[in-house]
Amino acid sequence: MPQRMQLGDAKAAEIKAVSIGKTFGAFRALKDLSLDIGRGEFLTLLGPSGSGKTTFLMILAGFTAPSEGRLMMDGRDITDVPAEDRSYGMVFQGYALFPHLTVEQNIAFPLKVRGRSAADIKRRVGEMVERVGLIGHEKKLPAKLSGGQQQRVALARALAFEPSVLLLDEPFSALDKNLREMMQEEVKRLHQETGTTFVFVTHDQSEALALSSRVAIFNHGELLQVGRPQDVYERPENRFVAEFLGEINLLPLDALRLDGDSAAGQFEDRTIVLARTNPQIGPKAVAAVRPEHMTIAAAPQNAGHNAIACRVEDATYLGAVTRYHLKTRTGASIAVSMPTVATPPFAHRADVWVSWPVEQGFLLPHQT
Ligand code: ATP
């Protein structure tokens, strides 16, 4: 029998999804999704529950066939290549370790399946155990390990055979906050060390921003925006992306004037000036400003541009930052987050001015 061709043996693969669609009965779980995943990239699929992230990951893995579109790897059409021949590494939320196999036997498993020599397996398992910090635990069964240790075994097992792509589906959602942060560091380090293409699914914004070279944001089966963490956070193209990635103030503008790279409009009785980063937007738009880009002062800043009269409703001390909730003259809510050390506290019901630099505000469509 001819040997089946194994894909995924290269160091890192490049993947291209072209107009992928997926329907389950009458339900469209993915709609016309096109996305390029670069060689050695750490791409995170981010979105709320049910947005289609796992469905897309399963299509990448070869476990689910797309209803429409093609999937390319390193220029080759792999849409119909079965999962076992794609040979990608995988890490899931439930560790999916073999309970009756020890740590080293679990890590050795994919190498044995691939017919590697005993000496090669021994060397590689040793390397992986060291790489994920499990020296001394080699002979233990998974039940004797903590959640974080089990997830380390799962990572070591998935990377042992040097896959060209590692797929991770919410791998840390069962772990507590501290352990989760430790594992995030670990995954980031493993990505840098291996140079493999990582595709990571999460619904946690801060995890996505902390880990990824690029983030792809999903909602209702659509890919809304893909970009570097700072691009999607600072220059979201629509309201869903802006609001999903963190708190944001949205101020409806009247009398919007678009002029090349800049825009100006009226909010209450003040003129708001913004960078016009999205040329599609207009003529009805809102000004969007993140709370940490605003400052509170007794008088208007920025020569009177982008300064709104407000009253302090509430201040919450959060350690490094203090979070203020303010109301404008017409009752609109504004949130401002300021470094605690740099700011004298503003009293409850104090009349203040909220300001921000022109380049920190951007336009978003009026509709979500
Ligand atoms: P979560 O974060 O909750 O895992 P997700 O973004 O990964 O969500 P998917 O698991 O991809 O979302 O599901 C997308 C939509 O497709 C959901 O509405 C889900 O109910 C539906 N769906 C997924 N798999 C199937 C299936 N096999 N049959 C029918 N519907 C499905």
Side-chain angles (χ1 to χ4, degrees):
M1 211 169 94
Q3 251 208 312
R4 279 206 297 197
M5 172 146 170
Q6 292 277 320
L7 297 173
D9 289 338
K11 188 89 172 100
E14 184 179 62
I15 294 173
K16 198 176 177 69
V18 187
S19 301
I20 296 280
K22 180 68 190 174
T23 48
F24 294 108
F27 179 71
R28 293 182 74 198
L30 286 179
K31 298 163 199 162
D32 194 21
L33 194 155
S34 292
L35 176 63
D36 289 353
I37 306 173
R39 205 178 295 286
E41 170 159 46
F42 194 131
L43 181 88
T44 296
L45 313 180
L46 174 70
S49 184
S51 57
K53 310 176 297 287
T54 298
T55 302
F56 184 57
L57 199 77
M58 292 299 112
I59 289 173
L60 290 180
F63 292 137
T64 301
S67 313
E68 294 148 19
R70 308 308 294 172
L71 197 63
M72 315 290 290
M73 187 173 102
D74 295 336
R76 232 191 98 178
D77 190 329
I78 58 159
T79 318
D80 303 317
V81 172
E84 61 270 26
D85 293 343
R86 292 189 196 183
S87 202
Y88 294 165
M90 305 222 189
V91 183
F92 296 110
Q93 180 183 341
Y95 320 110
L97 298 176
F98 301 113
H100 57 290
L101 298 184
T102 64
V103 167
E104 58 186 7
Q105 288 167 338
N106 263 285
I107 300 172
F109 186 82
L111 299 168
K112 280 193 172 163
V113 170
R114 285 170 177 77
R116 301 277 180 90
S117 71
D120 192 20
I121 293 175
K122 190 163 184 293
R123 181 187 56 78
R124 191 71 190 139
V125 169
E127 268 173 33
M128 290 314 300
V129 164
E130 190 181 349
R131 191 164 267 184
V132 298
L134 284 175
I135 290 176
H137 300 282
E138 296 88 335
K139 307 286 179 210
K140 289 187 184 167
L141 290 173
K144 300 277 179 223
L145 300 174
S146 69
Q149 288 169 332
Q150 291 187 46
Q151 204 51 290
R152 286 200 177 92
V153 179
L155 279 166
R157 186 179 62 178
L159 287 167
F161 62 97
E162 297 177 276
S164 59
V165 177
L166 181 68
L167 304 176
L168 306 106
D169 194 355
E170 305 253 8
F172 311 135
S173 52
L175 306 178
D176 68 38
K177 187 172 171 288
N178 287 348
L179 194 51
R180 195 181 169 120
E181 284 171 5
M182 267 173 67
M183 291 306 298
Q184 288 170 2
E185 289 300 314
E186 190 110 359
V187 159
K188 214 168 164 172
R189 184 178 55 77
L190 285 169
H191 174 251
Q192 281 158 5
E193 283 175 13
T194 58
T196 301
T197 306
F198 278 35
V199 185
F200 186 97
V201 166
T202 185
H203 60 263
D204 179 332
Q205 315 64 317
S206 53
E207 187 164 81
L209 296 177
L211 290 177
S212 325
S213 43
R214 283 191 313 152
V215 183
I217 296 138
F218 284 62
N219 194 30
H220 296 308
E222 284 181 77
L223 175 61
L224 296 186
Q225 190 173 350
V226 56
R228 296 180 310 155
Q230 54 270 51
D231 295 335
V232 291
Y233 184 79
E234 311 234 342
R235 292 290 179 255
E237 285 166 8
N238 58 61
R239 285 176 63 161
F240 178 84
V241 172
E243 291 181 286
F244 192 70
L245 287 174
E247 203 173 2
I248 193 147
N249 293 297
L250 299 173
L251 313 173
L253 296 178
D254 289 325
L256 186 66
R257 301 182 299 283
L258 302 171
D259 180 16
D261 293 342
S262 71
Q266 294 297 123
F267 175 75
E268 298 185 346
D269 58 347
R270 308 292 301 179
T271 300
I272 307 295
V273 183
L274 306 133
R276 189 178 173 214
T277 51
N278 188 341
Q280 273 88 48
I281 293 175
K284 266 186 96 57
V286 295
V289 192
R290 297 268 179 215
E292 68 273 23
H293 290 146
M294 291 176 148
T295 52
I296 304 173
Q301 311 288 299
N302 305 320
H305 282 318
N306 300 349
I308 299 173
C310 290
R311 178 162 286 180
V312 176
E313 291 284 311
D314 186 37
T316 309
Y317 172 77
L318 297 171
V321 295
T322 299
R323 197 182 167 287
Y324 290 93
H325 172 216
L326 306 106
K327 282 262 192 274
T328 68
R329 281 185 190 139
T330 61
S333 287
I334 292 197
V336 179
S337 187
M338 291 178 71
T340 302
V341 285
T343 330
F346 292 96
H348 179 61
R349 306 213 61 76
D351 287 317
V352 294
W353 290 84
V354 166
S355 314
W356 66 95
V358 167
E359 62 280 9
Q360 299 292 13
F362 51 91
L363 282 178
L364 284 174
H366 198 265
Q367 302 296 324
T368 41

